[in-house]
Every structure is written in structure tokens, then in C-alpha cells.
Amino acid sequence: MSDKTYRVIQWMTGDVGQAGIRHFAACPTFDLVGVLVHSKDKVGKDAGEIAGIEPIGVIATDDVGAVVATDADCVFYTPIIMDVATVCRLLRSGKNVVTTAGFFHPTEDFRAAGDQIRAACTEGGASFHGGGIHPGYAGDVLPLTLARVMSRIDTIHLYEVVEVLKDAPLDHIDWMGFGKDKDAFLSEPTILGLGLPYFAQSMHMLADGLGVAIDEITAAEVDVAVAVEDIAHDEGAIARGTVAAQRHQWTAWVDGRPLIVFHAIYVTGGPDVLEPAWDWGATRYRIVIDGDPPTELTMQGLRQPDGTMSHPGYPWTAMGAINAIPEVCDAPAGWLTHFDLGLVKPRGLVRK
Ligand SMILES: NC(=O)c1ccc[n+]([C@@H]2O[C@H](COP(=O)([O-])OP(=O)(O)OC[C@H]3O[C@@H](n4cnc5c(N)ncnc54)[C@H](OP(=O)(O)O)[C@@H]3O)[C@@H](O)[C@H]2O)c1
């Protein structure tokens, strides 16, 4: 095994970026050499302080030019929204880019951006790779891994269940439309619905992996459940009668049959506070494959000795990408998909 160290830059320090800093600080495989922030109040702070750990001697800056000029093997790129021009600038500077911010499988939706990224990889002699938990793992890498032990596949269902008040940042309440009037919510575009091109990458990756072509992806169903009473949270309450849970369903059709069905289910309570009395249970990813043999897999946090259990969504998101950094840095230049990397061999996870 290689004990090589990779010099990394953390690009933005939101929930995913902070998980990145904590890992880079703890894991000897990585040497954190720069941190870029957008928020003025984080400029000049130690990266460890931003990420909720001890100071680590790396000071955050908002000077993009200085960070682009920093010598590093890889940028862990986790801004709120990917800027393709910036990613290309980093690649042209010779730095590999690994990101959770959207791209990971070439589809028609991202053809133009993908072409720019490939050209920048060639120019800079660098590589690009996208990953995460979903999309980028739970709905593509994981079902394909299960498919490896099956003899026939009829339909693949992926259920993403999130207990928003327990396992997501509070800003999700507003930006996902909880507390809205039901009819208004159902008549407007939803944040999750707007994300379909990103999740469609997972469906295309699954189909590509199974050697079939998707005819069409339909976004047929959005359901909501309303609160039967005020549901309190740290900054107020979701009012009785307003949207308190939402379910989105997208289907990828192959040869006239539904081959892949993604269910995104975000709830702020259980059957006691919802109408209809939805009971989706705890935050988790659940893959159900109808076929031979019928197979199911659930991925969730581990209950701790004190009885608590939380959803490690952000650490999973960060690590899904970070664990590929060594192989991305060591690979020939280009856009490296999950298929290009094959079975990733994480480095530095087993340590004293
Ligand atoms: N594939 C997956 O599984 C998955 C899962 C979760 C998230 N993601 C993606 O990963 C990325 C990071 O997620 P996150 O939850 O960490 O994001 P986030 O917390 O919402 O934001 C990331 C950071 O972007 C910077 N930022 C905020 N507003 C900005 C603005 N107006 N202009 C420029 N920068 C701004 C801030 O950096 P500073 O705080 O450093 O100033 C912020 O902390 C996002 O693109 C998200 O969609 C992917």
C-alpha cells in the first residue's frame, strides 16, 4: 500500500466542506494546504475552528486568485453551486478537482459543461471526479454493487427517507417549502424537482452499468402530507394544515417498463402529526430490487450505546468523494467517472 501524502485545498466550508476539513485534519493521507471561503466572517479564521475542531494552522481566505495559485494535488470543491468556469480554471492550473457539487456521470443535460471540463483536464494535465452520497453512491454505485450478485433484475426502487427536523439543517424547512399552503406547494416547481437532472445521472449510470438504455424519465408524482397540529422546531413551528411532508417519485423507463424508481421522502414528523398518517420511519437509504433473487439493502446511521441514532449524511457525502482523491490524483488526466475508477480503494481509513 502507498503511504503517499496528497496536498489538498478545501474550496468552501459548508456542511460538506467542514466534514472534509475534519477528515483532512485527522487522516495522514492528506495535507490540507489551503481553505477558500465565501462568507466574510470566516475570513482569517483557522480551518479547524470553522469545522468545529481544534485549530490546525490553516487560515481561511476569500482570495480566489491566491488559492488557485497555491501548489496542491487536488481541490475538494464543495460550493453551494458548481461554477464550471472555476472548475476549469482549477483544472487548467494543473490541480485535480474532486467534487460533490453535481456532476459525476456524463448525460445529455450536462453535455456542454462536460465538454468544457474534458478540455480543461487535457490543457492542465489534471483529472475531475464527482461523487457524494446521493446522487453519486446510494442510487447508483450501491444498486450496481447489489446487481453483482443477482441473476435477473425487474425493477430497482431507491427510497431516500429524511427526517428533516432530526437530520437536516434548519434552512431546509424554508427552502424545501415546509409550512407552505398545500395547493400553492403543488402548483409550483419544487427544489427537489429542479434537482432531477442531477439525480437522472444516477439513473443513467445504473442503466449504463446494466447495459440498457433509458427511453424516458418521468417525474410523475409529488404528494404531500399536512400537519395535523403545529410542529415545533428550533426557530418556530410548521403551522397546522400546511405542508409537513413531501414525497417525490421519478421513474426511468426501459423498453416500456419502469426499471428504476427513485422515491425522495422528506418528513417533519410521523403518523401522529401527519395527514395522511404517513409512516416512513427513520432517515435512511433503502434499495429494493425486484428480480431473482429479490434483494433489499438498507443504509442508515448506527444506533449508539446511549440509544441515539443520527444520519451521517454530510460525512457520507464528503467521504464518498474524498476517498477517491488518491486514485484521481494518480490517474491519467481526464473526467474520471465511477466506471473509470472501478472499485475505489480508500487510503488512510484504518489508523491508530
Ligand atoms: N451528491 C450528494 O450526495 C450531495 C449531498 C449534499 C450536498 N451536495 C452538494 O455539495 C455541495 C456542498 O453542499 P453543502 O451542504 O456543504 O452546501 P452549503 O452548506 O449550502 O454551502 C456551501 C458553501 O458555499 C458557500 N456559499 C454560500 N453562498 C454562496 C454564494 N452566494 N456565493 C458563493 N459561495 C457561497 C459558503 O461557503 P463558506 O461557508 O465557506 O463561506 C457555503 O458554506 C453543494 O453543491 C450540494 O448541492 C451533494
Side-chain angles (χ1 to χ4, degrees):
M1 291 296 283
S2 161
D3 55 3
K4 186 170 162 186
T5 298
Y6 298 83
R7 290 162 59 84
V8 289
I9 290 169
Q10 178 59 53
W11 192 279
M12 302 290 172
T13 60
D15 296 295
V16 179
Q18 289 176 38
I21 290 170
R22 289 192 291 273
H23 183 72
F24 298 139
C27 179
T29 303
F30 300 105
D31 180 13
L32 185 65
V33 296
V35 174
L36 183 83
V37 293
H38 169 76
S39 315
K40 293 286 169 223
D41 62 337
K42 291 183 177 176
V43 174
K45 283 195 173 159
D46 187 282
E49 186 190 344
I50 292 171
I53 56 175
E54 294 293 305
I56 56 175
V58 182
I59 303 301
T61 176
D62 62 353
D63 184 342
V64 173
V67 175
V68 173
T70 301
D71 180 31
D73 297 302
C74 188
V75 176
F76 184 42
Y77 182 79
T78 63
I80 191 162
I81 292 175
M82 180 191 287
D83 176 53
V84 174
T86 301
V87 170
C88 291
R89 185 178 172 193
L90 290 166
L91 291 165
R92 281 196 301 269
S93 80
K95 285 183 268 300
N96 301 290
V97 175
V98 167
T99 184
T100 60
F103 284 38
F104 65 97
H105 191 72
T107 59
E108 200 51 42
D109 289 314
F110 302 114
R111 178 190 285 274
D115 288 347
Q116 291 173 44
I117 283 174
R118 282 194 194 86
C121 286
T122 304
E123 217 178 302
S127 292
F128 171 85
H129 173 73
I133 181 65
H134 183 54
Y137 184 75
D140 36 73
V141 175
L142 217 46
L144 271 178
T145 306
L146 287 186
R148 173 77 187 262
V149 294
M150 298 194 63
S151 97
R152 195 192 72 244
I153 288 182
D154 300 328
T155 311
I156 300 168
H157 290 270
L158 172 82
Y159 298 85
E160 179 186 50
V161 179
V162 179
E163 293 181 284
V164 176
L165 298 187
K166 279 176 65 179
D167 294 320
L170 266 181
D171 59 4
H172 280 47
I173 295 171
D174 266 357
W175 68 256
M176 293 195 73
F178 292 106
K180 268 193 173 177
D181 171 73
K182 175 181 175 179
D183 294 334
F185 179 90
L186 290 174
S187 67
E188 295 165 1
T190 61
I191 286 287
L192 276 174
L194 293 171
L196 178 56
Y198 294 93
F199 295 101
Q201 295 177 102
S202 295
M203 296 173 142
H204 282 287
M205 181 179 149
L206 255 178
D208 291 348
L210 295 170
V212 297
I214 292 173
D215 306 324
E216 187 190 8
I217 295 176
T218 51
E221 288 180 35
V222 183
D223 291 340
V224 299
V226 297
V228 298
E229 59 188 51
D230 287 1
I231 301 174
H233 56 74
D234 286 352
E235 289 178 2
I238 294 165
R240 179 170 177 264
T242 65
V243 173
Q246 50 187 280
R247 183 180 73 91
H248 305 251
Q249 183 175 310
W250 306 312
T251 304
W253 299 79
V254 171
D255 293 334
R257 289 190 311 154
L259 178 67
I260 306 162
V261 187
F262 279 3
H263 311 257
I265 299 142
Y266 283 65
V267 300
T268 60
D272 49 327
V273 293
L274 298 177
E275 169 54 43
W278 286 0
D279 188 6
W280 285 103
T283 296
R284 67 201 186 283
Y285 294 98
R286 177 170 170 245
I287 298 161
V288 177
I289 306 186
D290 298 322
D292 181 24
T295 300
E296 174 176 338
L297 178 90
T298 296
M299 179 179 184
Q300 61 187 21
L302 177 65
R303 194 167 295 286
Q304 295 303 292
D306 67 0
T308 59
M309 187 169 90
S310 61
H311 176 58
Y314 289 112
W316 280 340
T317 301
M319 294 316 305
I322 289 171
N323 278 324
I325 288 177
E327 285 176 57
V328 170
C329 291
D330 294 347
W335 177 351
L336 304 170
T337 67
H338 287 295
F339 290 141
D340 296 318
L341 289 181
L343 187 64
V344 166
K345 296 171 284 300
R347 315 259 173 90
L349 299 192
V350 182
R351 53 183 187 262
K352 287 177 189 162

